[in-house]
Amino acid sequence: MENSSGVNKKIRIVGLHVAAARKLLRMSQADLAAVSGISEATIKKFEVGLHKPRPRTLEALRAALETRGIEFNNGDSPGVKLNSQGASTPKSVGS
């Protein structure tokens, strides 16, 4: 994501973002674990706020969700949305 000056700005994602993104994609925690390479236990703990993942773990989760059309937003109203036109792979593992 770029800000108005054209500088790439990382969006901080939290466990609730990941849980919401999975729900939009109709993915289970096991599905996300399979496509991201991150353990299901780590995803579960992160989503409920019991674990703060390493930066590379967050990047793996972000990449797995963004390639499926998820867009993260930290602007005035933090959250996630599904942009199905931006998806480059099936929405779920079972598709």
Side-chain angles (χ1 to χ4, degrees):
M1 174 178 200
E2 292 185 0
N3 64 19
S4 58
S5 64
V7 176
N8 191 4
K9 183 173 115 176
K10 287 276 186 180
I11 293 178
R12 182 177 157 264
I13 62 171
V14 296
L16 291 175
H17 286 129
V18 173
R22 278 191 315 95
K23 288 177 183 165
L24 285 170
L25 294 169
R26 296 185 177 111
M27 291 179 84
S28 67
Q29 290 172 333
D31 291 338
L32 181 55
V35 299
S36 67
I38 304 303
S39 77
E40 188 176 348
T42 295
I43 294 167
K44 285 179 183 183
K45 289 176 186 175
F46 178 48
E47 287 185 357
V48 297
L50 295 176
H51 178 68
K52 183 178 179 188
R54 295 180 179 140
R56 68 177 169 218
T57 300
L58 288 173
E59 281 305 311
L61 293 171
R62 177 194 313 269
L65 295 166
E66 286 180 344
T67 59
R68 286 161 175 78
I70 291 296
E71 294 179 2
F72 294 97
N73 179 3
N74 277 0
D76 295 331
S77 180
V80 298
K81 73 176 186 175
L82 176 61
N83 177 356
S84 57
Q85 292 178 350
S88 62
T89 58
K91 291 181 185 172
S92 67
V93 174
S95 304

